[in-house]
Structure formats: C-alpha cells, structure tokens
Amino acid sequence: MPVLSSLTRHPRVVVSLIALLLVAIPIGMLTHGHSAGPTRIGLSAAALPTSYAVSSTDADFARGTRTGVSSSGGALRISTPQGTRTWAGHTYEYGTWTSPWTTPGGTFTQAVPSWNAATPAGSWIQVLVRVRTGAGRTSGLENLGSWASGTQAIQRSSAGSQSGPVARVATDTLIATGAALTSYRITVRLMRMPGGSSPVLGSVGVVTATPPSTLPATSTPLRRTAFSLAVPTYSQMIHRGQDPQYGGGGEAWCSPTSLSMLLGYYRRLPKPAAAGTDRWVNVVARMTYDYAYDGTGNWPFNTAYAATRGLDTFVTRLANLRMAERFVRAGIPLEVSIRFSRGQLAGAPISATAGHLVVLVGFTAAGNPMVDDPAASSDAAVRRVYDRGQFERAWLGGSDGMAYVVHDSAHPLPGRPAGVRNW
C-alpha cells in the first residue's frame, strides 16, 4: 500500500530553474529560542530580485505598512493594538503588517509562503497573500493559514479551499486560476489575548514558481566524491496506530518523521512526551498538525515549527539535484517531497506513493543520492541509495523540487549560482 502523506491532495507540477524565485521580506531574527549568531537570510525589498540581505534591522519593516505593531531588535510585535477581532468565540487584540507589492522578476503561477515566528500562550498569527496579473487584475486577500506553535489560543489550521478569477488556494499553495501572475504582497496579522503577550514575527517570505511543460534531463553531479551527513534515521512505520488525533503514525507521518531527522541532526529534538522508541516524532507530529487539513504535511507549518527549535527555516523549490547538492555539501540536509508509481524508484521501501517526504543526506561517487526514507520498516533500514535519474524525476515531477531548508548558524546557506534567486 503506498505511503500517503498529507501532501496527497496537493496537485504539483514541475518548476523550471529560471522560474524559481524565493522572494523573502526579511524581518529580522527571532528573539525566542535562537542560539547566538544567526541572522535572517532573505531578499530585501530594496534589492529585489538580485541580492540578499543579511541584516536584521527595524528598517526592514519600514518598507511595508504597519498598523498597531512596532519593531524592535529586528522583530515585529503588537504595540498599540489596531483593534479587536473575534475568532472562534474569543476576542483578540491585533496588529497588521503588509509588505509592499513585490515583483519577483518574472511571471509565476504558484506561490508558497513560509515564516519564522514565536507565539507565547494566547497569541497567534495569520498569513495572507494578495496577487495580481500583468493586466492589473488583483485577487482577494487569500488566507494561507492561522498558526501558533501551541494550541492554547487556536488550533493551527489552513483556511480550506478558496477560489476566484485570479487565484485559488490549495491548503498551503496559492495557484493562478487564469493569467500568469506578476506580483504579490504579504499581510501578517498578529493576534493576542487582550493585554497578553504579543506574538513575535521574525521573517516571512514567498517562493514563486512557474511550471515548464516537460521534465528536464537528469542533472550532472557537482563533484564525484562520495559523502554523507550524520543525520539520524527514524522510521515512521514504527509509530503506526499512535496518537490517532494527530494522524495515527505510520503512513501519515512521513513529514514529521523526516523533520525529526533534521532536528536530530542539529540536536534540537523536543523531549518525548511518552516512553518508547523515537517518541519525539509524536511531539513533532502534534506540533505540525493542521487541524483543518487533518494532517501533518502542511509545508510552512513544518518549517515554522522547526524555527521554534532555534533554527532558521524556509520553504523553497530547487531545480535539480545539482542545486540540492550545494546545500548538502554545506552541511545542510534537505527534506524533499517525492511522488512515484510502481517501478519508478528502485529500492524504495514502498512500491508507489502519491506524496512522500524524505531527507537528502549525501551522494555516492557516481552521483546517486543517499536518502533517509522514513517509510522503511525500522530505523536501521531507513538509509537508502537511489538512482539519480529516478529520484530526481520523482522529486521534480512530484513536487516541483520542493524542499524544507532548515539550518543553524554553524551551517550557513551555500553560495548561489549566477541567476539563481531561490535562497
């Protein structure tokens, strides 16, 4: 039976190299949970789309519109609330920050946001995106999710299907419904209980993409030397039947199990909630669970949780394994989404899948990817070597090269090839 992650209901297509753009509005480093040293990596609005900023300054907020919020130490908080809103029968004070209209340098048909934030008890954030076409048609303010690290204030959730003449939303992805899109702007609402602690927004960004009509040829390796990272190996299958309120383990937990491997690599795993093998995976599943989507595979919910563990994170899309190799050789394993049919990925622990998350941890001398595949039946069987062409097609054809980028200050992002702007 195929492993069906929570991404199964997300239709994906292939992304071309020239269309991949990570356009992030840098808002500074989180003040909660970070070790000393990391800076917010992202595109500054003043430099779009050709250069990255590595500063964390309050000036980043001046490029947008603020109501009821202020910045200090490179992070955004509610100051004098803009007003109150009622949500699920509770009243919250709120403030709003909206980015300028951002033109990523080319048209796009899909956009995925991601963010880093801290949400003290009773607080949460809502992320919304508006897009427009070259003819000036503008979408509504599309809701890409209400998020908190815990559940004291809300149950974190995507907003369900939304559709209009310009764009629609499929859980964590905004998709053009008509003409290609040319620009977007992000709005973040910060919500708190009256008089309570404010959420702290550290960064928010969007990766935009346009699908080509065909898959590219298999890429060539950057180097012909074998290497692998010391990423721990965890099986999702040993959790089958556990915590049914969060998906029940087994086939449903590929994303939180893979994310647990990344957290284990950086020594940032949460404490297990119960005795048993690898029970930190259960905690990660609970903390990434999307209560509306009824699953743990919401892309930005996963990276947002990893950020609360003191890491810098974002969602992006990469054009091929050659580009991904830059990250892995820099000491940054990548969590990637694949899809394949029977016979299309030799050596996989499952015969087929409509959507599955794995961790890219290294390469053989021949350039074949070393992968921690959580669908294995035991921790000892998780490490696999896949054929480069087969795996690349499963990744690019399955999710447009989607990747969770999770790193710490000891592992800075790799340099970018000329013309690449998606990290």
Side-chain angles (χ1 to χ4, degrees), residues 65-136:
T65 302
R66 298 180 294 181
T67 307
V69 295
S70 62
S71 58
S72 61
L76 195 69
R77 300 170 175 82
I78 296 172
S79 52
T80 302
Q82 178 179 350
T84 60
R85 297 174 68 94
T86 299
W87 188 273
H90 297 282
T91 299
Y92 296 93
E93 297 174 337
Y94 75 99
T96 304
W97 178 83
T98 299
S99 76
W101 278 103
T102 299
T103 301
T107 59
F108 59 98
T109 60
Q110 298 183 14
V112 180
S114 54
W115 57 86
N116 290 188
T119 54
S123 71
W124 53 285
I125 67 169
Q126 187 178 51
V127 178
L128 307 106
V129 179
R130 192 187 301 272
V131 291
R132 65 186 178 193
T133 68

Side-chain angles (χ1 to χ4, degrees), residues 49-77:
T50 58
S51 65
Y52 279 74
V54 293
S55 62
S56 298
T57 68
D58 297 336
D60 293 324
F61 294 107
R63 300 188 181 102
T65 302
R66 298 180 294 181
T67 307
V69 295
S70 62
S71 58
S72 61
L76 195 69
R77 300 170 175 82

Side-chain angles (χ1 to χ4, degrees), residues 6-13 15 108-115 127-131 139 142-145 157-164 166-177 181 205-211 290 293 297-301 315-317 337 398-400 402-404:
S6 299
L7 300 175
T8 301
R9 287 167 279 179
H10 291 232
R12 309 291 189 190
V13 285
V15 178
F108 59 98
T109 60
Q110 298 183 14
V112 180
S114 54
W115 57 86
V127 178
L128 307 106
V129 179
R130 192 187 301 272
V131 291
S139 74
E142 309 295 349
N143 186 353
L144 271 297
S157 61
S158 51
S161 298
Q162 302 155 70
S163 186
V166 175
R168 65 183 178 89
V169 173
T171 304
D172 52 14
T173 304
L174 184 147
I175 304 168
T177 53
L181 308 169
V206 167
V207 59
T208 65
T210 297
D290 180 338
Y293 186 67
N298 184 305
W299 294 349
F301 283 14
V315 174
T316 193
R317 280 166 161 159
S337 179
S399 70
D400 314 334
M402 189 284 302
Y404 301 172

Side-chain angles (χ1 to χ4, degrees), residues 7-8 29 129 192 221 245 274 285 296 303 312 315 319 351 374 381 385 389 400:
L7 300 175
T8 301
M29 184 172 59
V129 179
R192 72 179 186 190
Q245 69 274 35
T296 56
T303 54
D312 282 316
V315 174
S351 61
V385 175
D400 314 334

